[in-house]
Amino acid sequence: GEDVEQSLFLSVREGDSSVINCTYTDSSSTYLYWYKQEPGAGLQLLTYIFSNMDMKQDQRLTVLLNKKDKHLSLRIADTQTGDSAIYFCAEILGNQFYFGTGTSLTVIP
Amino acid sequence: DAGVIQSPRHEVTEMGQEVTLRCKPISGHDYLFWYRQTMMRGLELLIYFNNNVPIDDSGMPEDRFSAKMPNASFSTLKIQPSEPRDSAVYFCASSSGQGTYGYTFGSGTRLTVV
């Protein structure tokens, strides 16, 4: 499979912004995705971005895409304790997803 | 829609026993995927189906693993015989078309083999 890399852990204080980073390997990916996994649950699609876009904003979420560097980031504004979860980035090649290792976000009250 | 439904939610079994995991995809979705999640290896794609036909089973770890999709609304993943290293969370996901707008995941089955 493809290598999609993320840092494993991130801790932020409630109310601060969180930035979760991801690097992917295949520039032919047409869409890139962010999923959220809460404890004991499956993965939930948060948002996705088309590869010809640089930025996408959806309420507290901002996705930034740097195609040149194959770098994707997810910014969560005003992070809340309910945002504590594991966040996965993913790229799609053909009809297969390749997921990153996941970043565990801990929000400190 | 009730989403992707997996059963059981938890399964504890003894080494050597047969284990069957079940999945009901979202009605109308024509792709179904089985993933395994462990701390060591993250999310691994085991097998996926399109219109009930297995397309790629290269991720199935061994012959002990088999998957079927007898109809559009049901799939099984079977492990026979089970081993402790099979302990993991197994997820089923489905999508419409090639998944451009993302997959929908079930809540997973946590399998423990003792």
Side-chain angles (χ1 to χ4, degrees), chain A residues 41-43, chain B residues 4-6 91-94 104-108:
Chain A
L43 278 71
Chain B
V4 176
I5 299 172
Q6 291 186 246
F91 288 104
C92 175
S94 69
T104 302
F105 280 79
S107 299

Side-chain angles (χ1 to χ4, degrees), chain A residues 33 35 37 40 48 95 97, chain B residues 9 31 37 56 100-101 103:
Chain A
Y33 304 80
Y35 280 82
Q37 185 180 28
Y48 61 90
N95 64 328
F97 273 71
Chain B
R9 286 299 309 272
Y31 281 83
Q37 186 179 36
D56 185 351
T100 300
Y101 302 111
Y103 298 172

